[in-house]
Amino acid sequence: MITKAAVYRGNKTFSLEEKQVREPGPGEVQIKVAYCGICGTDLHIFLGHMDQRVGFERTIGHEMSGVVSAVGEGVSGFEAGQKIVVRPLDHCGDCPACNAGHEHICHNLKFIGIDSEGAFQEFWNVPSHTVHMLPENVDLSHAALIEPLAVACHDVNRAKIVKGEDVLVIGGGPIGLLVALVARHAGGNVIISEISETRLAYAQKQGFKTINPKSVDPVEEINRQTNSKGADVVFEVSGSRPGVDLMTAAAATRGRIVMVAIHANKPTVDMFQFFWRELELFGARVYRPEDYDQAMKLLTEGVVDCASFITDVQPLEAIQSAFEALTSNPSAIKSMIQISKVSE
Ligand SMILES: [Zn+2]
Ligand SMILES: [Zn+2]
């Protein structure tokens, strides 16, 4: 059988190619991919920032949904046609992190869709341990948001938010917005700091208090809104220098800061505030299986307004222009590619 796949060829180029479908190997599940969202990491790959890691032969993509199409030797418990999502992490099973139960941040972690073949193709084989089954009634385009939503669940779980706490989310892109939604669901009073007016407008529509640090002093504003206490929990999702300055300046006494963003360069951090206010700093990277379970639950409960969160859905044939549009208009929330038509 011949199938279509988008292949990253370097130089901001995807080529749409036909290839032979590979049968699932031992321990693998073959998936017919329905939808795959475009992640910030995919954009980095497209822009050439990760060429050394990814190469020029790879089908990328990991924010997906689909149905089981076949199973390999030794795999049981799956039926063809069953709706699923994939938790795209392949761990080694024998390193200090794996042995301590932290498989999601395995020392030899392979991120499926970056370090190995991903979901911008019709048929995709993955290890069976990465597959999560979906309820029959979930919309597959919405289900493709479970991966980024699981990131947000993991971030919020690291912070252990208590009902009524003041929460500051620095950066209102797709992950920042999802962190805000999950934090609010956990009982936090959430303020989002963001500089893009389109993203601020979306956040306000979702009922969030917002700050644009370009027009007001964000620390003064947070102090004003919290009776000079500051934010009990701060999520740094912006990956920016001003974001790192704000995270310590806006944190309350004994505040918890969660580092969500990927800082490629080492930022200067105001360590004095850690001493002065007895702050705590938590790292949060990808997700654990239980974060996926929680994300599925929150999605089916309607915590995310999927219809407005998904800005556009385009066919696989349009992947090149979809990526080009996102690089020139970064204020879109979530662009999604429909990989194949799956009857629901
Ligand atoms: Zn992603
Ligand atoms: Zn490991």
Coordinates of all heavy atoms in Angstrom, one line a residue, residues 71-103:
V71 N -2.0 -3.9 14.4 CA -1.1 -4.1 15.6 C 0.0 -5.1 15.2 O -0.2 -6.0 14.4 CB -1.8 -4.5 16.9 CG1 -2.7 -3.4 17.4 CG2 -2.5 -5.9 16.7
G72 N 1.2 -4.9 15.8 CA 2.3 -5.8 15.5 C 2.3 -7.0 16.5 O 1.4 -7.1 17.4
E73 N 3.3 -7.9 16.3 CA 3.4 -9.1 17.1 C 3.5 -8.8 18.6 O 4.2 -7.8 19.0 CB 4.7 -9.8 16.7 CG 4.8 -11.2 17.0 CD 6.2 -11.7 16.6 OE1 6.6 -11.6 15.5 OE2 6.9 -12.2 17.6
G74 N 2.8 -9.5 19.4 CA 2.9 -9.3 20.9 C 2.0 -8.2 21.4 O 2.1 -7.9 22.6
V75 N 1.3 -7.5 20.6 CA 0.4 -6.4 21.1 C -1.0 -6.9 21.2 O -1.5 -7.5 20.2 CB 0.5 -5.2 20.1 CG1 -0.4 -4.1 20.6 CG2 2.0 -4.7 20.0
S76 N -1.6 -6.6 22.3 CA -3.0 -7.0 22.5 C -3.8 -5.9 23.1 O -3.1 -4.9 23.6 CB -3.1 -8.3 23.3 OG -2.6 -8.1 24.6
G77 N -5.1 -5.9 23.1 CA -5.9 -4.9 23.8 C -6.3 -3.8 22.9 O -6.9 -2.8 23.4
F78 N -5.9 -3.8 21.6 CA -6.3 -2.7 20.7 C -7.2 -3.3 19.6 O -7.0 -4.5 19.2 CB -5.1 -2.1 20.1 CG -4.2 -1.4 21.0 CD1 -3.1 -2.0 21.5 CD2 -4.5 -0.1 21.4 CE1 -2.3 -1.3 22.4 CE2 -3.7 0.6 22.3 CZ -2.6 0.0 22.8
E79 N -8.1 -2.5 19.1 CA -9.0 -3.0 18.0 C -8.9 -2.0 16.9 O -8.8 -0.8 17.2 CB -10.4 -3.0 18.5 CG -11.0 -4.3 18.9 CD -12.4 -4.2 19.4 OE1 -13.3 -3.7 18.7 OE2 -12.6 -4.6 20.6
A80 N -8.9 -2.5 15.7 CA -8.9 -1.5 14.5 C -10.0 -0.6 14.6 O -11.1 -1.0 15.0 CB -8.9 -2.3 13.2
G81 N -9.8 0.7 14.3 CA -10.8 1.7 14.4 C -11.0 2.4 15.7 O -11.6 3.5 15.8
Q82 N -10.3 1.9 16.7 CA -10.3 2.6 18.0 C -9.6 3.9 18.0 O -8.5 4.0 17.5 CB -9.6 1.6 19.0 CG -9.7 2.0 20.4 CD -9.4 0.8 21.3 OE1 -8.4 0.1 21.0 NE2 -10.2 0.6 22.3
K83 N -10.3 4.9 18.6 CA -9.7 6.3 18.6 C -8.6 6.4 19.7 O -8.8 5.9 20.8 CB -10.8 7.3 19.0 CG -11.8 7.5 17.9 CD -12.9 8.6 18.3 CE -13.9 8.8 17.2 NZ -14.9 9.8 17.7
I84 N -7.5 7.0 19.3 CA -6.4 7.0 20.2 C -5.6 8.4 20.1 O -5.8 9.1 19.1 CB -5.4 5.9 19.9 CG1 -4.9 5.9 18.5 CG2 -5.9 4.5 20.3 CD1 -3.7 6.7 18.2
V85 N -4.8 8.7 21.1 CA -3.7 9.7 20.9 C -2.4 9.0 21.4 O -2.4 8.0 22.1 CB -4.0 10.9 21.8 CG1 -5.1 11.8 21.2 CG2 -4.3 10.6 23.2
V86 N -1.3 9.6 21.0 CA 0.0 9.0 21.3 C 0.7 10.0 22.2 O 0.7 11.2 22.0 CB 0.8 8.8 20.0 CG1 2.3 8.5 20.3 CG2 0.2 7.7 19.2
R87 N 1.3 9.5 23.3 CA 2.2 10.2 24.2 C 3.6 10.0 23.6 O 4.2 8.9 23.8 CB 2.1 9.7 25.6 CG 2.9 10.4 26.6 CD 2.5 10.0 28.1 NE 2.1 8.6 28.1 CZ 3.0 7.6 28.2 NH1 4.2 7.8 28.3 NH2 2.5 6.3 28.2
P88 N 4.2 11.0 22.9 CA 5.3 10.7 22.0 C 6.7 10.6 22.7 O 7.6 11.2 22.2 CB 5.2 11.8 21.0 CG 4.7 13.0 21.8 CD 3.7 12.4 22.8
L89 N 6.8 9.8 23.7 CA 8.0 9.7 24.5 C 8.5 8.2 24.5 O 7.7 7.4 24.9 CB 7.8 10.2 25.9 CG 7.3 11.6 26.1 CD1 7.2 11.9 27.6 CD2 8.2 12.6 25.4
D90 N 9.7 8.0 24.0 CA 10.3 6.7 24.0 C 11.5 6.7 25.0 O 12.5 7.3 24.7 CB 10.7 6.3 22.6 CG 10.8 4.8 22.4 OD1 10.4 4.1 23.4 OD2 11.2 4.4 21.4
H91 N 11.3 6.0 26.1 CA 12.4 6.0 27.1 C 13.2 4.7 27.1 O 12.8 3.7 26.5 CB 11.8 6.2 28.5 CG 10.8 5.1 28.9 ND1 9.5 5.1 28.5 CD2 11.0 4.0 29.6 CE1 8.9 4.0 28.9 NE2 9.8 3.3 29.6
C92 N 14.4 4.7 27.7 CA 15.3 3.6 27.5 C 15.0 2.5 28.5 O 15.2 1.3 28.3 CB 16.8 4.0 27.7 SG 17.3 4.4 29.4
G93 N 14.4 2.8 29.7 CA 14.0 1.8 30.7 C 15.2 1.4 31.6 O 14.9 0.6 32.5
D94 N 16.3 1.9 31.4 CA 17.5 1.5 32.2 C 18.5 2.7 32.4 O 19.6 2.6 31.9 CB 18.1 0.3 31.7 CG 19.2 -0.3 32.7 OD1 19.1 0.1 33.9 OD2 20.1 -1.0 32.3
C95 N 18.1 3.7 33.0 CA 19.0 4.8 33.3 C 18.6 5.3 34.7 O 17.6 4.9 35.2 CB 18.9 5.9 32.2 SG 17.4 6.9 32.3
P96 N 19.4 6.2 35.3 CA 19.0 6.7 36.7 C 17.6 7.3 36.7 O 16.9 7.0 37.7 CB 20.1 7.7 37.0 CG 21.3 7.2 36.2 CD 20.7 6.7 34.9
A97 N 17.2 8.0 35.7 CA 15.9 8.6 35.7 C 14.8 7.6 35.6 O 13.8 7.6 36.3 CB 15.8 9.7 34.6
C98 N 15.0 6.7 34.6 CA 14.0 5.6 34.4 C 13.9 4.7 35.7 O 12.8 4.4 36.2 CB 14.4 4.7 33.2 SG 14.0 5.4 31.6
N99 N 15.0 4.4 36.3 CA 15.0 3.6 37.5 C 14.4 4.3 38.6 O 13.9 3.6 39.5 CB 16.5 3.1 37.8 CG 17.0 2.2 36.8 OD1 16.3 1.5 36.1 ND2 18.4 2.2 36.6
A100 N 14.4 5.6 38.6 CA 13.7 6.3 39.7 C 12.3 6.6 39.4 O 11.6 7.3 40.2 CB 14.5 7.6 40.0
G101 N 11.8 6.1 38.3 CA 10.3 6.3 38.0 C 10.1 7.6 37.2 O 8.9 8.0 37.1
H102 N 11.1 8.2 36.7 CA 10.9 9.4 35.9 C 11.2 9.2 34.5 O 12.0 9.9 33.8 CB 11.8 10.5 36.4 CG 11.8 10.8 37.9 ND1 10.6 11.0 38.6 CD2 12.7 10.8 38.9 CE1 10.8 11.1 39.9 NE2 12.1 11.0 40.1
E103 N 10.5 8.2 33.9 CA 10.7 7.8 32.5 C 10.5 8.9 31.5 O 11.1 8.9 30.5 CB 9.8 6.6 32.1 CG 10.1 5.3 32.8 CD 9.3 5.1 34.1 OE1 8.8 6.1 34.7 OE2 9.3 3.9 34.6

